[in-house]
Coordinates of all heavy atoms in Angstrom, one line a residue:
M12 N 160.3 315.8 234.9 CA 160.9 316.0 236.2 C 160.1 316.9 237.0 O 159.7 318.0 236.6 CB 162.4 316.5 236.1 CG 163.0 316.7 237.5 SD 164.6 317.6 237.5 CE 165.6 316.3 236.9
K13 N 159.8 316.5 238.2 CA 159.1 317.4 239.2 C 160.0 318.4 239.8 O 161.2 318.3 239.8 CB 158.4 316.6 240.3 CG 157.4 315.6 239.8 CD 156.2 316.3 239.3 CE 155.1 315.3 238.9 NZ 153.8 315.9 238.6
L14 N 159.4 319.5 240.2 CA 160.2 320.6 240.9 C 160.6 320.2 242.3 O 161.8 320.4 242.7 CB 159.4 321.9 240.9 CG 160.1 323.1 241.5 CD1 161.3 323.5 240.7 CD2 159.1 324.2 241.7
L15 N 159.7 319.6 243.0 CA 160.0 319.3 244.4 C 159.4 317.9 244.8 O 158.3 317.5 244.4 CB 159.3 320.3 245.3 CG 159.3 320.1 246.8 CD1 160.7 320.3 247.4 CD2 158.3 321.1 247.5
T16 N 160.2 317.2 245.6 CA 159.7 316.0 246.2 C 159.6 316.2 247.7 O 160.5 316.6 248.4 CB 160.6 314.8 245.9 OG1 160.6 314.5 244.5 CG2 160.1 313.5 246.6
I17 N 158.4 315.8 248.3 CA 158.2 315.8 249.7 C 158.3 314.4 250.1 O 157.5 313.6 249.7 CB 156.9 316.5 250.1 CG1 156.9 317.9 249.6 CG2 156.7 316.4 251.6 CD1 155.5 318.6 249.8
A18 N 159.3 314.0 250.9 CA 159.5 312.7 251.4 C 159.3 312.5 252.8 O 159.8 313.3 253.6 CB 161.0 312.2 251.1
I19 N 158.4 311.6 253.2 CA 158.0 311.4 254.6 C 158.3 309.9 255.0 O 157.6 309.0 254.6 CB 156.5 311.7 254.8 CG1 156.2 313.1 254.3 CG2 156.1 311.5 256.2 CD1 154.7 313.4 254.2
P20 N 159.3 309.7 255.9 CA 159.4 308.4 256.5 C 158.4 308.3 257.7 O 158.2 309.3 258.4 CB 160.9 308.4 257.0 CG 161.2 309.9 257.3 CD 160.3 310.7 256.3
T21 N 157.8 307.2 257.8 CA 156.8 307.0 258.9 C 156.9 305.6 259.5 O 157.4 304.7 258.9 CB 155.4 307.3 258.4 OG1 154.5 307.4 259.5 CG2 154.9 306.3 257.3
Y22 N 156.4 305.5 260.7 CA 156.3 304.3 261.4 C 155.1 304.3 262.5 O 155.2 305.1 263.4 CB 157.6 303.9 262.1 CG 157.6 302.7 262.9 CD1 157.5 301.4 262.3 CD2 157.6 302.7 264.3 CE1 157.5 300.3 263.1 CE2 157.6 301.5 265.1 CZ 157.5 300.3 264.4 OH 157.4 299.2 265.2
K23 N 154.1 303.6 262.2 CA 153.0 303.5 263.2 C 152.4 304.8 263.6 O 152.1 305.1 264.8 CB 153.4 302.7 264.4 CG 153.7 301.2 264.1 CD 153.9 300.5 265.4 CE 154.3 299.0 265.1 NZ 153.2 298.1 265.0
R24 N 152.2 305.7 262.6 CA 151.6 307.0 262.9 C 150.6 307.5 261.9 O 150.7 308.5 261.2 CB 152.7 308.1 263.0 CG 153.6 307.9 264.2 CD 154.5 309.1 264.2 NE 155.9 308.6 264.5 CZ 157.0 309.2 264.2 NH1 156.9 310.4 263.7 NH2 158.1 308.7 264.5
P25 N 149.5 306.7 261.6 CA 148.6 307.1 260.6 C 147.9 308.4 260.8 O 147.7 309.2 259.9 CB 147.6 305.9 260.6 CG 147.7 305.2 261.9 CD 149.2 305.5 262.3
D26 N 147.6 308.7 262.1 CA 146.9 310.0 262.4 C 147.9 311.2 262.2 O 147.5 312.2 261.6 CB 146.4 310.0 263.8 CG 145.2 309.0 264.0 OD1 144.6 308.7 263.0 OD2 145.0 308.6 265.2
A27 N 149.1 311.0 262.6 CA 150.1 312.1 262.4 C 150.4 312.3 260.9 O 150.6 313.4 260.5 CB 151.4 311.8 263.2
L28 N 150.4 311.2 260.2 CA 150.7 311.3 258.7 C 149.5 312.0 258.0 O 149.7 312.9 257.2 CB 150.9 310.0 258.1 CG 151.1 310.0 256.6 CD1 152.4 310.7 256.2 CD2 151.2 308.6 256.0
A29 N 148.3 311.7 258.4 CA 147.1 312.4 257.8 C 147.1 313.8 258.1 O 146.9 314.7 257.3 CB 145.8 311.7 258.4
T30 N 147.5 314.2 259.4 CA 147.6 315.6 259.8 C 148.7 316.3 258.9 O 148.5 317.4 258.5 CB 147.9 315.7 261.3 OG1 146.9 315.1 262.0 CG2 148.1 317.2 261.7
C31 N 149.8 315.7 258.8 CA 150.9 316.2 258.0 C 150.5 316.4 256.5 O 150.7 317.5 255.9 CB 152.1 315.3 258.1 SG 153.5 315.8 257.1
L32 N 149.8 315.5 255.9 CA 149.4 315.6 254.6 C 148.4 316.7 254.4 O 148.4 317.4 253.4 CB 148.9 314.2 254.1 CG 149.9 313.1 253.9 CD1 149.3 311.8 253.6 CD2 151.0 313.5 252.9
K33 N 147.4 316.8 255.3 CA 146.5 317.9 255.3 C 147.1 319.2 255.3 O 146.7 320.1 254.6 CB 145.5 317.7 256.4 CG 144.5 316.6 256.3 CD 143.6 316.6 257.5 CE 142.7 315.3 257.5 NZ 141.9 315.2 258.7
A34 N 148.1 319.4 256.2 CA 148.8 320.6 256.3 C 149.6 321.0 255.0 O 149.6 322.1 254.5 CB 149.8 320.6 257.4
I35 N 150.2 320.0 254.3 CA 150.9 320.2 253.1 C 149.9 320.6 252.0 O 150.1 321.6 251.3 CB 151.6 318.9 252.7 CG1 152.8 318.7 253.6 CG2 152.1 319.1 251.2 CD1 153.4 317.3 253.5
L36 N 148.8 319.9 251.9 CA 147.8 320.1 250.8 C 147.1 321.5 251.0 O 146.8 322.1 250.0 CB 146.8 319.0 250.8 CG 147.3 317.6 250.4 CD1 146.3 316.6 250.5 CD2 147.9 317.7 248.9
Y37 N 146.9 321.9 252.2 CA 146.3 323.2 252.5 C 147.0 324.3 251.9 O 146.5 325.3 251.6 CB 146.1 323.3 254.0 CG 145.5 324.6 254.4 CD1 144.1 324.8 254.3 CD2 146.2 325.6 255.0 CE1 143.5 326.0 254.7 CE2 145.7 326.9 255.3 CZ 144.3 327.0 255.2 OH 143.7 328.2 255.6
Q38 N 148.3 324.2 251.8 CA 149.2 325.3 251.4 C 149.4 325.3 249.9 O 150.1 326.2 249.4 CB 150.6 325.1 252.1 CG 150.5 325.2 253.6 CD 151.8 325.0 254.2 OE1 152.7 325.8 253.9 NE2 151.9 324.1 255.1
L39 N 148.9 324.3 249.2 CA 149.2 324.2 247.7 C 148.0 324.5 246.9 O 146.9 324.1 247.2 CB 149.7 322.8 247.4 CG 151.0 322.3 248.1 CD1 151.2 320.9 247.8 CD2 152.2 323.2 247.6
T40 N 148.2 325.2 245.7 CA 147.2 325.3 244.7 C 147.2 324.1 243.8 O 148.2 323.3 243.8 CB 147.4 326.6 243.9 OG1 148.7 326.4 243.2 CG2 147.5 327.8 244.8
S41 N 146.2 323.9 243.0 CA 146.2 322.8 242.1 C 147.3 322.8 241.1 O 147.8 321.8 240.8 CB 144.8 322.7 241.4 OG 144.6 323.8 240.7
S42 N 147.7 324.0 240.7 CA 148.8 324.0 239.7 C 150.2 323.7 240.4 O 151.1 323.1 239.8 CB 148.9 325.4 239.1 OG 149.2 326.4 240.0
E43 N 150.3 324.0 241.7 CA 151.5 323.7 242.4 C 151.5 322.2 242.7 O 152.6 321.6 242.7 CB 151.5 324.4 243.8 CG 151.8 325.9 243.6 CD 151.6 326.7 244.8 OE1 150.9 326.3 245.7 OE2 152.3 327.8 244.9
I44 N 150.4 321.6 243.0 CA 150.3 320.1 243.2 C 150.9 319.3 242.0 O 151.6 318.3 242.2 CB 148.9 319.7 243.5 CG1 148.5 320.1 244.9 CG2 148.7 318.2 243.4 CD1 147.1 319.9 245.3
E45 N 150.7 319.8 240.8 CA 151.2 319.2 239.6 C 152.7 319.2 239.5 O 153.3 318.5 238.8 CB 150.6 319.7 238.4 CG 149.1 319.4 238.4 CD 148.4 320.1 237.2 OE1 149.0 320.7 236.4 OE2 147.2 319.8 237.1
K46 N 153.4 320.1 240.3 CA 154.8 320.3 240.2 C 155.6 319.5 241.3 O 156.8 319.6 241.3 CB 155.2 321.8 240.4 CG 154.6 322.6 239.2 CD 154.9 324.1 239.5 CE 154.3 324.9 238.4 NZ 154.5 326.4 238.6
I47 N 154.8 318.9 242.2 CA 155.5 318.2 243.3 C 155.2 316.7 243.2 O 154.3 316.2 242.6 CB 155.1 318.7 244.7 CG1 153.7 318.4 245.0 CG2 155.4 320.2 244.8 CD1 153.4 318.6 246.4
S48 N 156.0 315.9 243.9 CA 155.7 314.5 244.1 C 155.9 314.2 245.6 O 156.5 314.9 246.3 CB 156.7 313.6 243.3 OG 158.0 313.8 243.7
L49 N 155.2 313.2 246.0 CA 155.2 312.8 247.4 C 155.7 311.3 247.5 O 155.3 310.4 246.8 CB 153.7 312.8 247.9 CG 153.4 312.3 249.3 CD1 154.1 313.3 250.3 CD2 151.9 312.2 249.5
V50 N 156.7 311.2 248.4 CA 157.2 309.9 248.7 C 157.0 309.5 250.2 O 157.3 310.3 251.1 CB 158.8 309.9 248.5 CG1 159.4 308.6 249.0 CG2 159.1 310.1 247.0
I51 N 156.4 308.4 250.4 CA 156.1 307.9 251.8 C 156.8 306.6 251.9 O 156.5 305.6 251.2 CB 154.7 307.9 252.1 CG1 154.1 309.3 252.0 CG2 154.4 307.3 253.5 CD1 152.6 309.4 252.2
S52 N 157.7 306.5 252.9 CA 158.3 305.2 253.2 C 157.8 304.7 254.6 O 158.1 305.3 255.6 CB 159.9 305.4 253.2 OG 160.5 304.1 253.5
D53 N 157.1 303.7 254.6 CA 156.4 303.2 255.7 C 157.2 302.0 256.3 O 157.3 301.0 255.7 CB 155.0 302.7 255.3 CG 154.1 302.3 256.5 OD1 154.6 302.4 257.7 OD2 152.9 302.1 256.3
N54 N 157.6 302.2 257.5 CA 158.5 301.2 258.2 C 157.7 300.2 259.0 O 158.3 299.4 259.8 CB 159.6 301.9 259.0 CG 160.8 301.2 259.1 OD1 161.1 300.3 258.3 ND2 161.7 301.5 260.1
D55 N 156.4 300.2 258.9 CA 155.6 299.2 259.6 C 155.1 298.2 258.7 O 154.2 298.5 257.9 CB 154.4 300.0 260.3 CG 153.5 299.1 261.1 OD1 153.8 297.9 261.3 OD2 152.5 299.6 261.5
P56 N 155.6 296.9 258.8 CA 155.1 295.9 257.8 C 153.6 295.6 258.0 O 153.0 295.0 257.0 CB 156.0 294.7 258.2 CG 156.7 295.0 259.4 CD 156.6 296.5 259.7
D57 N 153.0 295.9 259.1 CA 151.6 295.6 259.3 C 150.7 296.8 259.1 O 149.6 296.8 259.5 CB 151.4 295.0 260.7 CG 152.2 293.8 261.0 OD1 152.3 292.9 260.1 OD2 152.8 293.6 262.1
S58 N 151.2 297.8 258.4 CA 150.5 299.1 258.3 C 149.3 299.0 257.4 O 149.2 298.2 256.5 CB 151.5 300.1 257.7 OG 150.8 301.3 257.5
T59 N 148.4 299.9 257.7 CA 147.2 300.1 256.9 C 147.2 301.4 256.2 O 146.1 301.9 255.7 CB 145.9 300.0 257.8 OG1 146.0 301.0 258.8 CG2 145.8 298.6 258.4
L60 N 148.3 302.0 256.1 CA 148.4 303.4 255.5 C 148.1 303.4 254.0 O 147.8 304.4 253.4 CB 149.8 303.9 255.7 CG 150.2 304.5 257.1 CD1 151.6 305.0 257.1 CD2 149.2 305.5 257.5
Q61 N 148.3 302.2 253.3 CA 148.1 302.2 251.9 C 146.7 302.7 251.5 O 146.6 303.4 250.5 CB 148.4 300.8 251.3 CG 148.4 300.8 249.8 CD 149.0 299.5 249.3 OE1 149.3 298.6 250.0 NE2 149.1 299.5 248.0
T62 N 145.7 302.4 252.3 CA 144.4 302.9 252.0 C 144.3 304.4 252.0 O 143.6 305.0 251.2 CB 143.3 302.3 252.9 OG1 143.7 302.6 254.2 CG2 143.2 300.8 252.7
L63 N 145.0 305.0 253.0 CA 145.1 306.5 253.1 C 145.8 307.1 251.8 O 145.3 308.1 251.3 CB 145.8 306.9 254.3 CG 146.1 308.4 254.5 CD1 144.8 309.1 254.9 CD2 147.1 308.6 255.6
I64 N 146.8 306.4 251.4 CA 147.6 307.0 250.3 C 147.0 306.7 248.9 O 147.0 307.6 248.1 CB 149.0 306.3 250.3 CG1 149.7 306.4 251.6 CG2 149.9 306.9 249.2 CD1 149.8 307.8 252.2
T65 N 146.3 305.6 248.8 CA 145.7 305.3 247.4 C 144.3 305.7 247.3 O 143.7 305.7 246.3 CB 145.9 303.8 247.1 OG1 145.2 303.0 248.2 CG2 147.3 303.4 247.1
G66 N 143.6 306.0 248.4 CA 142.2 306.4 248.4 C 142.0 307.8 247.9 O 142.8 308.4 247.3
D67 N 140.8 308.3 248.3 CA 140.4 309.7 247.8 C 141.0 310.8 248.7 O 140.7 311.9 248.4 CB 138.9 309.8 247.7 CG 138.3 308.9 246.7 OD1 139.0 308.6 245.7 OD2 137.2 308.5 246.8
F68 N 141.8 310.5 249.7 CA 142.3 311.5 250.6 C 143.2 312.5 249.8 O 143.2 313.6 250.1 CB 143.1 310.8 251.7 CG 143.6 311.7 252.7 CD1 142.8 312.3 253.7 CD2 145.0 312.0 252.7 CE1 143.3 313.2 254.6 CE2 145.5 312.9 253.7 CZ 144.7 313.5 254.6
L69 N 144.1 311.9 249.0 CA 145.0 312.8 248.2 C 144.5 313.1 246.8 O 143.8 312.3 246.2 CB 146.3 312.0 248.1 CG 147.1 311.7 249.4 CD1 148.3 310.9 249.1 CD2 147.5 313.0 250.1
P70 N 144.8 314.3 246.3 CA 144.3 314.6 245.0 C 144.9 313.7 243.9 O 146.0 313.2 244.0 CB 144.9 316.0 244.8 CG 145.3 316.5 246.1 CD 145.5 315.3 246.9
R71 N 144.1 313.4 242.9 CA 144.5 312.4 241.9 C 145.7 312.9 241.1 O 146.5 312.1 240.6 CB 143.3 312.2 241.0 CG 142.2 311.5 241.7 CD 141.7 310.3 240.9 NE 140.5 309.7 241.6 CZ 140.6 308.7 242.5 NH1 141.8 308.3 242.8 NH2 139.5 308.2 243.0
N72 N 145.8 314.3 241.0 CA 146.9 314.8 240.2 C 148.2 314.9 241.0 O 149.2 315.4 240.5 CB 146.6 316.1 239.6 CG 146.2 317.2 240.6 OD1 145.9 316.9 241.7 ND2 146.3 318.5 240.2
L73 N 148.3 314.4 242.2 CA 149.5 314.4 243.0 C 150.2 313.1 242.8 O 149.7 312.0 243.1 CB 149.2 314.5 244.5 CG 150.3 314.4 245.5 CD1 151.3 315.6 245.2 CD2 149.8 314.5 246.9
E74 N 151.4 313.3 242.2 CA 152.3 312.1 241.9 C 152.7 311.6 243.3 O 153.2 312.3 244.1 CB 153.4 312.4 241.1 CG 154.3 311.3 240.7 CD 155.5 311.7 239.9 OE1 155.3 312.3 238.8 OE2 156.6 311.4 240.3
R75 N 152.6 310.3 243.5 CA 153.0 309.7 244.8 C 153.6 308.3 244.7 O 153.3 307.6 243.8 CB 151.7 309.6 245.7 CG 150.7 308.6 245.2 CD 149.4 308.7 245.8 NE 148.7 309.6 244.9 CZ 147.4 309.9 245.0 NH1 146.7 309.4 246.0 NH2 146.8 310.7 244.2
T76 N 154.5 308.1 245.6 CA 155.2 306.8 245.7 C 155.0 306.4 247.1 O 155.4 307.1 248.1 CB 156.7 306.9 245.4 OG1 156.8 307.4 244.0 CG2 157.4 305.6 245.5
Y77 N 154.5 305.2 247.3 CA 154.3 304.6 248.7 C 155.0 303.3 248.7 O 154.8 302.4 247.9 CB 152.8 304.4 249.0 CG 152.6 303.6 250.3 CD1 152.8 304.3 251.5 CD2 152.2 302.3 250.2 CE1 152.6 303.6 252.7 CE2 152.0 301.6 251.4 CZ 152.2 302.3 252.6 OH 152.0 301.6 253.8
V78 N 155.9 303.2 249.7 CA 156.7 301.9 249.9 C 156.5 301.5 251.3 O 156.7 302.2 252.3 CB 158.2 302.1 249.6 CG1 159.0 300.9 249.9 CG2 158.4 302.6 248.2
R79 N 156.0 300.2 251.5 CA 155.9 299.6 252.8 C 156.9 298.6 252.9 O 157.0 297.6 252.1 CB 154.5 299.1 253.0 CG 154.4 298.5 254.4 CD 153.0 298.0 254.7 NE 152.6 296.9 253.8 CZ 151.4 296.4 253.7 NH1 150.4 296.9 254.3 NH2 151.2 295.4 252.9
N80 N 157.8 298.7 253.9 CA 158.9 297.8 254.1 C 158.3 296.5 254.6 O 157.4 296.5 255.4 CB 159.9 298.3 255.1 CG 160.6 299.6 254.5 OD1 160.9 299.7 253.4 ND2 160.8 300.5 255.4
V81 N 158.9 295.3 254.2 CA 158.4 294.0 254.6 C 158.8 293.7 256.0 O 158.3 292.8 256.7 CB 158.8 292.9 253.6 CG1 158.1 293.1 252.3 CG2 160.3 292.8 253.5
E82 N 159.8 294.5 256.5 CA 160.2 294.4 257.9 C 160.7 295.7 258.3 O 161.1 296.6 257.5 CB 161.3 293.3 258.1 CG 162.6 293.6 257.4 CD 163.7 292.5 257.6 OE1 163.3 291.4 258.0 OE2 164.8 292.8 257.3
N83 N 160.7 296.0 259.6 CA 161.2 297.2 260.2 C 162.7 297.3 259.9 O 163.5 296.5 260.4 CB 160.9 297.3 261.7 CG 161.3 298.7 262.2 OD1 162.2 299.4 261.8 ND2 160.6 299.0 263.3
V84 N 163.1 298.3 259.1 CA 164.5 298.4 258.7 C 165.3 299.4 259.6 O 166.5 299.6 259.4 CB 164.7 298.8 257.2 CG1 164.2 297.7 256.3 CG2 164.1 300.1 256.9
G85 N 164.6 300.0 260.5 CA 165.2 301.0 261.4 C 165.0 302.4 260.8 O 164.8 302.6 259.6
S86 N 165.1 303.4 261.6 CA 164.8 304.8 261.2 C 165.8 305.3 260.1 O 165.4 306.0 259.2 CB 164.7 305.7 262.3 OG 165.9 305.8 263.1
E87 N 167.1 305.0 260.4 CA 168.1 305.5 259.4 C 167.9 305.0 258.0 O 167.9 305.7 257.1 CB 169.5 305.1 259.9 CG 169.9 305.8 261.2 CD 169.5 305.0 262.5 OE1 168.9 303.9 262.3 OE2 169.6 305.5 263.6
K88 N 167.7 303.7 257.9 CA 167.5 303.1 256.5 C 166.2 303.6 255.9 O 166.1 303.7 254.7 CB 167.5 301.6 256.6 CG 168.9 301.1 256.8 CD 169.0 299.5 256.8 CE 170.4 299.1 257.0 NZ 170.5 297.6 257.0
N89 N 165.2 303.8 256.8 CA 163.9 304.3 256.3 C 164.1 305.7 255.7 O 163.5 306.0 254.6 CB 162.9 304.3 257.4 CG 161.4 304.3 256.8 OD1 161.2 303.8 255.8 ND2 160.6 304.9 257.6
I90 N 164.8 306.5 256.4 CA 165.1 307.9 255.9 C 166.0 307.8 254.6 O 165.7 308.6 253.6 CB 165.9 308.7 257.0 CG1 164.9 309.0 258.1 CG2 166.4 310.0 256.4 CD1 165.5 309.5 259.4
L91 N 167.0 307.0 254.6 CA 167.8 306.9 253.4 C 166.9 306.4 252.2 O 167.2 306.8 251.0 CB 169.0 305.9 253.6 CG 170.1 306.5 254.5 CD1 171.1 305.4 254.8 CD2 170.7 307.7 253.9
Q92 N 166.0 305.5 252.5 CA 165.1 305.0 251.4 C 164.3 306.2 250.8 O 164.1 306.3 249.6 CB 164.2 303.9 251.9 CG 163.2 303.4 250.9 CD 162.6 302.1 251.3 OE1 163.1 301.1 251.0 NE2 161.5 302.2 252.0
C93 N 163.8 307.1 251.7 CA 163.1 308.3 251.2 C 164.0 309.1 250.3 O 163.6 309.6 249.2 CB 162.7 309.2 252.4 SG 161.2 308.6 253.2
V94 N 165.3 309.3 250.7 CA 166.2 310.1 249.8 C 166.4 309.4 248.5 O 166.4 310.0 247.4 CB 167.6 310.2 250.6 CG1 168.6 310.9 249.7 CG2 167.3 311.1 251.8
S95 N 166.6 308.1 248.5 CA 166.9 307.4 247.2 C 165.7 307.4 246.3 O 165.8 307.4 245.1 CB 167.3 305.9 247.5 OG 166.3 305.2 248.0
L96 N 164.5 307.4 246.9 CA 163.2 307.5 246.1 C 162.9 308.9 245.6 O 162.0 309.1 244.8 CB 162.0 306.9 246.9 CG 162.1 305.4 247.2 CD1 161.0 305.1 248.2 CD2 161.9 304.6 245.9
S97 N 163.7 309.9 246.1 CA 163.4 311.3 245.7 C 164.3 311.8 244.7 O 164.4 313.0 244.6 CB 163.5 312.1 247.0 OG 162.6 311.7 248.0
Q98 N 165.0 311.0 244.0 CA 166.0 311.5 243.1 C 165.5 312.1 241.8 O 166.2 312.6 241.0 CB 167.0 310.3 242.7 CG 167.7 309.7 243.9 CD 168.6 310.7 244.7 OE1 169.3 311.5 244.0 NE2 168.5 310.7 246.0
D99 N 164.2 311.9 241.5 CA 163.7 312.4 240.2 C 163.0 313.8 240.3 O 162.2 314.1 239.5 CB 162.6 311.4 239.8 CG 163.2 310.1 239.4 OD1 164.4 310.0 239.0 OD2 162.5 309.1 239.4
S100 N 163.5 314.6 241.2 CA 163.0 316.0 241.2 C 164.2 317.0 241.3 O 165.3 316.6 241.7 CB 162.0 316.2 242.3 OG 162.7 316.1 243.6
K101 N 163.9 318.2 241.0 CA 165.0 319.2 241.1 C 165.4 319.5 242.6 O 166.5 319.7 242.9 CB 164.5 320.5 240.4 CG 165.6 321.6 240.3 CD 165.1 322.7 239.5 CE 166.2 323.7 239.3 NZ 165.8 324.9 238.5
Y102 N 164.4 319.5 243.4 CA 164.7 319.8 244.9 C 164.1 318.7 245.7 O 163.0 318.2 245.5 CB 164.1 321.2 245.3 CG 164.6 322.3 244.5 CD1 163.9 322.9 243.5 CD2 165.9 322.8 244.7 CE1 164.3 324.0 242.8 CE2 166.4 323.9 244.0 CZ 165.6 324.5 243.0 OH 166.1 325.5 242.3

């Protein structure tokens, strides 16, 4: 079980997501990275974010879950999906 999950709902904001992820990673040591998991719920069915999430941008030891919805489910359901995917951590 991870200590913390950082869950990010997103929709058509690859640059803002990259900025957010850089800010998060800047604050973490390598030992802290191993204690957290990252959940990204992408509400854009035509998104290209998967290359950002699965490429070399993020450290390999960062546990991550990326879900791209097949259709726009609305912001509320996208946020709730983040919460449901974040159940495997203490905080």
Side-chain angles (χ1 to χ4, degrees):
M12 176 190 287
K13 296 291 183 171
L14 180 64
L15 173 70
T16 297
I17 299 171
I19 305 171
T21 188
Y22 176 71
K23 294 190 183 266
R24 292 186 225 160
D26 294 336
L28 179 62
T30 299
C31 178
L32 293 173
K33 285 178 189 175
I35 292 167
L36 294 173
Y37 178 76
Q38 299 176 57
L39 299 172
T40 66
S41 59
S42 63
E43 290 171 330
I44 286 174
E45 294 176 0
K46 297 177 185 175
I47 68 166
S48 64
L49 178 66
V50 170
I51 297 174
S52 180
D53 189 355
N54 210 17
D55 181 7
D57 301 321
S58 177
T59 58
L60 286 179
Q61 188 166 4
T62 56
L63 175 72
I64 306 307
T65 59
D67 291 333
F68 181 78
L69 296 174
R71 298 229 182 266
N72 61 338
L73 175 62
E74 182 179 305
R75 66 199 89 172
T76 302
Y77 172 75
V78 175
R79 182 175 66 191
N80 298 321
V81 294
E82 65 181 14
N83 185 333
V84 296
S86 60
E87 295 86 6
K88 287 185 180 179
N89 200 33
I90 292 168
L91 288 173
Q92 181 166 264
C93 279
V94 172
S95 70
L96 292 169
S97 302
Q98 301 297 319
D99 292 334
S100 67
K101 187 172 181 180
Y102 301 104

